[in-house]
Amino acid sequence: MMVSKKMAAALNEQVKNEFFAYWTYLQMSYSFNSMGLSVFSKWYNEQAMEEQGHAMKIADYLLDQGAEVELLSLDKPKADYKSAEEVVQAALDHEIMVTQQINALASLAREEHDYATENFLQYYVQEQVEEVATATELLDLVKMSDSTGQLLMLENRIMALRTEG
Ligand code: FEO
């Protein structure tokens, strides 16, 4: 194995964290669907798929390094959202938490002089900058909408954030 036991365990934990993000966003997608906001629902479905990709990329890295992957239990994601703003705020909070997780992994890699893992994690460090920025922008837009009608109008333009970002 080319990474330390401690690093392998920490990366394995991050596989779980990214799958939990997948789970969380998928639930957000279903919640938006129930609210009748289909574009927001699509947005979070796409976000969920990205998170699945993040999880699998780390799992592949562990295997490439000769470590094993062990899938861990996922908690039940929050589902009782009361408003669009509450969902989007929770998404931003979630990305801030993931950023802290990634930073802790990057610190461990540096501490261990594990240059391969440090380099691998750069993708995630950069990704988190974009994800927090996009989630913040989306929250700002949702906060400006004080009616369902305005949220529906906002739906006409939010997917553009994905292509602009
Ligand atoms: Fe994989 Fe949105 O962090």
Side-chain angles (χ1 to χ4, degrees):
M1 184 163 77
M2 301 289 288
V3 292
S4 73
K5 267 191 170 173
K6 189 175 174 183
M7 180 54 83
L11 288 169
N12 196 77
E13 183 74 18
Q14 193 59 27
V15 171
K16 183 193 80 174
N17 293 339
E18 300 286 348
F19 273 126
F20 182 63
Y22 163 72
W23 220 217
T24 298
Y25 284 127
L26 206 52
Q27 181 65 65
M28 288 176 173
S29 172
Y30 296 142
S31 296
F32 268 126
N33 193 292
S34 299
M35 290 180 203
L37 291 164
S38 61
V39 179
F40 277 98
S41 177
K42 184 169 184 287
W43 170 284
Y44 283 103
N45 187 282
E46 286 191 14
Q47 192 64 37
M49 295 309 149
E50 273 189 26
E51 300 302 344
Q52 186 187 53
H54 292 168
M56 294 178 80
K57 190 176 163 88
I58 298 171
D60 286 346
Y61 177 75
L62 279 166
L63 295 174
D64 283 349
Q65 292 288 27
E68 288 181 8
V69 177
E70 187 183 3
L71 294 176
L72 304 169
S73 304
L74 299 177
D75 290 337
K76 179 187 181 305
K78 177 179 164 62
D80 58 340
Y81 294 107
K82 303 277 185 293
S83 67
E85 183 177 331
E86 194 188 348
V87 183
V88 179
Q89 177 71 62
L92 173 59
D93 293 345
H94 195 93
E95 285 306 329
I96 291 169
M97 181 179 74
V98 173
T99 299
Q100 289 163 351
Q101 292 163 352
I102 296 296
N103 286 345
L105 283 169
S107 297
L108 179 62
R110 189 162 289 191
E111 221 172 82
E112 293 193 350
H113 305 288
D114 180 347
Y115 304 115
T117 301
E118 190 178 348
N119 185 56
F120 168 74
L121 288 169
Q122 283 314 302
Y123 164 83
Y124 288 86
V125 171
Q126 189 55 40
E127 181 71 10
Q128 284 313 120
V129 173
E130 287 163 21
E131 298 222 324
V132 170
T134 307
T136 303
E137 197 173 343
L138 189 55
L139 180 60
D140 288 346
L141 288 170
V142 170
K143 277 183 172 171
M144 281 190 263
S145 314
D146 50 14
S147 69
T148 306
Q150 283 177 325
L151 278 173
L152 286 168
M153 282 200 294
L154 180 57
E155 284 210 312
N156 290 331
R157 53 174 293 210
I158 63 170
M159 289 311 281
L161 275 181
R162 238 172 228 296
T163 40
E164 283 164 14

